[in-house]
Amino acid sequence: MRVILILIKKEFLQVFRNSLLWKILLLAPLAEFLLFPYTADYEIKNVHVAFIDHDKSTLTADIQSKFSASPYFINHGDIASKQEADQMMKNDEIDFIIEFPDQFENAIVRQEQTKILITANAINTVKAGLGSEYVQTVLGNYFTDLGEQALQMSAVPLSALNTTAESSGEAQEMTASVLSHTPQAQLVTTHVYWFNEQMNYQNLIVPGLLIILVTLIGAYVTALNIVREKEIGTIEQVNVTPIKKWQFLLGKMIPFWILGMVEFGAGLVIMKLMFGITIQGSLLLLLGLTSVYLLVMLGLGFFISSMANNQLQAMFIVFFLFILFVMLSGVFTPIEGMPDWAQYINYANPMSFFMSALKTIILKGSTIENIRHQFIVLSVMAVVLNTAALLSYRDKAK
Amino acid sequence: MALIEVTHLNKAYGKVKALQDVSFDVHESEVFGVVGPDGAGKSTLFNILTTLLLPDSGNATVLHHDVRTDYLEIRKHIGYLPGTFSLYPDLSVEENLVFFATMYQSDIEKNMPLILPIWQQLLPFKKRPAGKLSGGMKQKLALCCALIHKPTLLFLDEPTTGVDPVSRKEFWEILRSIKQQGITVVVSTPYMDEATLCDRIALLQNGQFIKMDTPQAIISDFRGTLVSLRTPDIFRLHKLLSNAPFRCTYYPYGEHMHIILEQPLEELLPQLKQFLDQHQIQFSHIQQITPSVEDCFIEIVKNSHAQNH
């Protein structure tokens, strides 16, 4: 016991003397929380839109003014020719071309079917996808206000247009998809969803940041710490003492477990104060879940450290796994959208289990019954990884 | 009974044979020196004896425990000073000592008399981070940490490499006093002059023990006549001697050339002088000298080479 206590004390002394390390531990979460929720955002602003108005009616002018008024669009106005508009899109000056056919207003008034052509610059697929939703929403809104319920909708892609632009010797493919829409009132429903996106997305990303924080401390800091001891030779000096492997393991894990929990707690406070996200479920359950997940990450870090001979190797291994975990975990993209094989890989991804359980506790107020499955899986992973770490840690070399 | 018994020990790293068929004993209360150039296998041998490395074949017992199976028992009773400074550089002098004392579950107060002479020199720096100590002080702290549990056996891997001559001398005095406390010392060094300070030495070359005895016995085993002469033309003389009209072994030794002759000097002196004059080599201080351990080592190595070819 005395041995483990002094090992823990030693670790804390080292962390707090390493001025860079504890500053990073302190600043990294703050920086993440201050920057990430505002930058990693699916909100698209400043969508550049231009019109080709063959109708030049009061109605089309009115629609154009709606786009001018919207904070999401920058209206480049009415372009005289189709060629000119295409050129602007090739130059990346505009994202959308909205083309009104001749006799558009008349057709609307006579309640005949008519078409608006929306051309999107799909180089940035996210922008093109979300942008066209916005465009449809604005149009849909307009026609609802107009009381035009009778219009039929058909949103069938007419054709895809591929053009190639030369840029600094390299061929870049620019794809502009041409969509044909008849505006329709039903589209209004998306309005609520997209335009309140900011709040929803933060609810998703802030818990994701908590997870990244805990993972970094658990796996990264632990692996690098132990490998550093290998590098400077202190591990040999410790190995030659009669302490047992499990004592050494505990002496490393307890301090980093405490650090991880403190960071997590700080993250929860920031989440509440900065983003006003309140934990719907039990705080105790949340902390319990996190402590199990931390054990998984500590075991992983420890296991990696027994394979790596220097900090560079350890860093690359952890980095690789980290990216893999994050990509598959559903922190940034929904798991449901992934192909089946990726979802199978996720059964070995502790971050994915933690994410789904943590999200439901924080946002939905889930209880232990709802997340029992994740709890059990994470516990098994913790036991397996820590056993592997204990077995693979060599206090004598071959 | 011997504290260390090693028989037919082998260790290879891939194709490199670090230790080949090494056998020796270390007796109680002696200072046993392992002498050899860099890469001879000294650290490998130490790592096996301190239970950090497993041998490929052969047996080694330390304090009557097998290094393969009873390593935890061995670790309780040995102290180890590795070749490179391996204390926590960011912990203070005092914290390092307390840390390692606790690792051994030993009582600092009780064992303080053993390290007191060294510890007193460290006291002015006891709050300083260990990484910020001078080289000599680092070594002393490492020694304190290796002795704080009063080991029966102390391993020192090249403790004086990179240490200034004054500190080296001081360090060897400390080793003598440790020996007087009844602690058996196994020490490795690349410095031949330190070999004479050991009770027994083993000469290690390419992973093999080529000689093991007391320094005096090794010196008295020296065959041939050792002649030393001083010359400013060492480099030219070194090339010329390969064509000398008599059989000899030669090597530069500082500003001197050492020549080992197979006959007594009186018989060959005229011939030697004539040879030197003939090639216009200036020289002075030509005389027969008593060989040092280094001379013996070189002679043994050269002979073993001659036998191999």
Side-chain angles (χ1 to χ4, degrees):
Chain A
M1 196 60 209
R2 241 178 87 217
V3 170
I4 292 170
L5 280 179
I6 193 120
L7 280 167
I8 295 170
K9 187 184 161 196
K10 180 214 92 184
E11 220 55 68
F12 275 119
L13 279 176
Q14 287 187 302
V15 168
F16 289 110
R17 266 183 215 158
N18 187 336
S19 56
L20 192 64
L21 182 65
W22 75 259
K23 276 176 200 152
I24 291 172
L25 288 179
L26 204 75
L27 289 177
L30 260 175
E32 268 191 10
F33 279 110
L34 287 175
L35 294 176
F36 226 48
Y38 300 106
T39 52
D41 194 337
Y42 275 145
E43 182 92 347
I44 302 271
K45 290 207 177 88
N46 304 331
V47 178
H48 294 264
V49 63
F51 295 88
I52 302 172
D53 192 351
H54 299 294
D55 193 31
K56 305 218 190 291
S57 60
T58 344
L59 181 70
T60 55
D62 200 25
I63 292 174
Q64 286 186 41
S65 72
K66 286 285 172 206
F67 280 91
S68 302
S70 162
Y72 295 91
F73 292 99
I74 293 172
N75 191 351
H76 288 252
D78 195 358
I79 310 296
S81 75
K82 174 111 178 106
Q83 275 165 324
E84 198 184 328
D86 280 349
Q87 192 55 46
M88 282 172 81
M89 186 173 273
K90 276 183 190 167
N91 294 345
D92 225 8
E93 288 163 27
I94 50 173
D95 304 304
F96 285 91
I97 303 169
I98 299 170
E99 193 172 345
F100 298 110
D102 195 14
Q103 300 299 315
F104 179 73
E105 187 177 17
N106 283 342
I108 298 284
V109 171
R110 280 187 242 117
Q111 301 206 348
E112 284 172 10
Q113 189 163 347
T114 182
K115 280 175 179 173
I116 301 172
L117 183 69
I118 303 166
T119 311
N121 180 355
I123 274 195
N124 182 339
T125 50
V126 176
K127 200 171 189 179
L130 287 175
S132 55
E133 293 277 355
Y134 291 181
V135 171
Q136 288 175 39
T137 312
V138 173
L139 293 174
N141 250 6
Y142 180 77
F143 287 109
T144 316
D145 292 348
L146 211 63
E148 292 287 345
Q149 303 285 337
L151 284 167
Q152 298 266 312
M153 178 191 110
S154 65
V156 189
L158 272 185
S159 64
L161 179 126
N162 286 324
T163 53
T164 307
E166 288 293 326
S167 145
S168 64
E170 276 177 51
Q172 271 185 337
E173 194 161 285
M174 178 197 275
T175 310
S177 63
V178 185
L179 296 164
S180 148
H181 290 286
T182 330
Q184 209 256 355
Q186 277 164 281
L187 291 168
V188 176
T189 44
T190 58
H191 178 271
V192 180
Y193 180 76
W194 285 108
F195 285 78
N196 286 310
E197 173 64 16
Q198 200 153 340
M199 276 312 292
N200 283 336
Y201 198 66
Q202 279 184 355
N203 281 351
L204 181 74
I205 203 155
V206 173
L209 289 180
L210 280 176
I211 288 174
I212 287 171
L213 211 61
V214 172
T215 308
L216 284 180
I217 302 238
Y220 244 117
V221 180
T222 312
L224 289 187
N225 175 285
I226 298 171
V227 174
R228 185 179 135 78
E229 290 225 24
K230 272 192 193 178
E231 279 181 358
I232 61 174
T234 47
I235 208 161
E236 269 195 1
Q237 194 80 67
V238 171
N239 281 342
V240 86
T241 69
I243 69 157
K244 314 269 193 311
K245 280 204 265 185
W246 62 266
Q247 289 176 316
F248 182 75
L249 190 79
L250 276 185
K252 284 286 178 200
M253 290 182 73
I254 295 171
F256 291 117
W257 183 85
I258 294 173
L259 276 181
M261 290 307 280
V262 169
E263 288 267 310
F264 183 75
L268 286 181
V269 172
I270 296 176
M271 184 175 87
K272 167 84 181 134
L273 294 182
M274 277 184 59
F275 303 102
I277 302 173
T278 350
I279 305 155
Q280 301 296 320
S282 145
L283 179 65
L284 215 62
L285 181 65
L286 189 61
L287 293 177
L289 181 79
T290 308
S291 59
V292 174
Y293 178 72
L294 251 176
L295 288 181
V296 178
M297 286 299 122
L298 290 168
L300 183 71
F302 211 106
F303 183 63
I304 288 167
S305 75
S306 65
M307 293 190 288
N309 291 319
N310 55 54
Q311 293 189 65
L312 200 65
Q313 287 176 359
M315 239 172 72
F316 274 114
I317 300 173
V318 183
F319 189 68
F320 168 73
L321 288 176
F322 181 71
I323 294 286
L324 204 69
F325 285 169
V326 172
M327 287 307 201
L328 292 172
S329 68
V331 170
F332 295 117
T333 49
I335 297 173
E336 291 75 14
M338 296 173 193
D340 284 347
W341 55 264
Q343 295 194 28
Y344 286 127
I345 295 176
N346 249 334
Y347 286 121
N349 181 359
M351 202 186 263
S352 155
F353 289 98
F354 186 42
M355 179 69 190
S356 65
L358 180 118
K359 258 198 302 190
T360 54
I361 295 175
I362 294 182
L363 302 176
K364 281 196 338 213
S366 295
T367 56
I368 179 80
E369 280 75 35
N370 304 118
I371 59 152
R372 175 172 293 144
H373 169 64
Q374 286 96 325
F375 225 111
I376 292 170
V377 172
L378 286 176
S379 303
V380 171
M381 282 179 171
V383 171
V384 169
L385 273 170
N386 283 294
T387 311
L390 194 61
L391 293 177
S392 63
Y393 173 66
R394 288 191 301 268
D395 56 353
K396 55 183 189 301
K398 282 219 168 59
Chain B
M1 215 178 149
L3 290 189
I4 299 177
E5 287 174 74
V6 172
T7 45
H8 308 297
L9 203 61
N10 284 289
K11 178 74 196 177
Y13 301 107
K15 280 184 179 168
V16 181
K17 287 174 181 164
L19 289 178
Q20 298 180 57
D21 200 28
V22 169
S23 301
F24 68 98
D25 291 344
V26 173
H27 309 295
E28 209 172 324
S29 299
E30 70 173 344
V31 175
F32 185 84
V34 179
V35 185
D38 289 343
K42 299 189 296 287
S43 292
T44 302
L45 179 63
F46 272 61
N47 280 343
I48 290 173
L49 294 180
T50 52
T51 75
L52 289 173
L53 190 67
L54 289 169
D56 293 341
S57 63
N59 286 313
T61 63
V62 175
L63 304 169
H64 319 299
H65 296 289
D66 193 305
V67 292
R68 285 196 183 84
T69 51
D70 284 345
Y71 60 94
L72 278 180
E73 205 51 43
I74 295 173
R75 288 174 184 181
K76 282 182 196 165
H77 303 289
I78 61 167
Y80 175 43
L81 190 71
T84 48
F85 179 70
S86 318
L87 300 181
Y88 291 99
D90 41 4
L91 293 192
S92 74
V93 168
E94 200 176 21
E95 284 160 352
N96 266 298
L97 187 73
V98 171
F99 177 76
F100 283 102
T102 315
M103 289 292 102
Y104 284 104
Q105 314 232 18
S106 92
D107 188 347
I108 292 189
E109 298 300 317
K110 210 179 84 192
N111 293 329
M112 191 41 103
L114 179 68
I115 60 161
L116 198 61
I118 323 166
W119 184 244
Q120 268 170 344
Q121 299 180 41
L122 284 162
L123 270 183
F125 315 109
K126 77 176 182 181
K127 299 280 177 215
R128 189 182 287 192
K132 296 223 159 78
L133 292 174
S134 68
M137 281 296 164
K138 275 182 184 164
Q139 261 333 37
K140 281 174 193 158
L141 174 60
L143 193 59
C144 284
C145 291
L147 283 171
I148 193 60
H149 58 295
K150 201 171 194 321
T152 318
L153 194 54
L154 178 65
F155 290 92
L156 306 145
D157 191 6
E158 300 201 12
T160 54
T161 299
V163 175
D164 67 85
V166 179
S167 300
R168 271 170 63 189
K169 193 164 168 289
E170 197 186 7
F171 200 82
W172 276 92
E173 278 161 19
I174 293 171
L175 288 192
R176 286 270 137 205
S177 71
I178 290 170
K179 185 199 159 182
Q180 276 160 16
Q181 308 257 10
I183 295 173
T184 307
V185 176
V186 182
V187 58
S188 75
T189 177
Y191 302 121
M192 302 291 168
D193 55 330
E194 290 181 346
T196 41
L197 301 168
C198 301
D199 296 319
R200 277 196 312 140
I201 50 176
L203 298 178
L204 191 60
Q205 167 86 358
N206 296 329
Q208 287 173 307
F209 272 10
I210 51 175
K211 187 91 181 173
M212 182 168 51
D213 219 323
T214 63
Q216 296 74 26
I218 285 176
I219 289 168
S220 66
D221 273 358
F222 188 83
R223 297 280 163 254
T225 311
L226 180 64
V227 177
S228 165
L229 64 88
R230 196 178 166 141
T231 169
D233 283 335
I234 286 195
F235 187 67
R236 204 154 63 85
L237 179 59
H238 193 262
K239 278 169 86 178
L240 286 169
L241 277 169
S242 60
N243 298 317
F246 43 85
R247 282 169 62 94
C248 65
T249 307
Y250 51 89
Y251 45 90
Y253 198 96
E255 293 181 319
H256 297 76
M257 181 64 85
H258 280 189
I259 305 169
I260 305 169
L261 302 168
E262 289 173 356
Q263 289 125 298
L265 181 60
E266 302 83 65
E267 288 175 30
L268 274 177
L269 191 58
Q271 211 181 337
L272 178 61
K273 279 187 169 168
Q274 190 202 338
F275 176 77
L276 294 171
D277 288 337
Q278 187 189 330
H279 292 95
Q280 291 160 344
I281 300 272
Q282 295 171 14
F283 64 93
S284 60
H285 299 92
I286 188 161
Q287 58 179 326
Q288 183 170 357
I289 54 161
T290 318
S292 66
V293 174
E294 183 164 5
D295 292 306
C296 300
F297 187 71
I298 291 168
E299 188 218 3
I300 295 162
V301 170
K302 294 229 171 186
N303 281 346
S304 69
H305 272 289
Q307 279 162 15
N308 287 343
H309 294 299

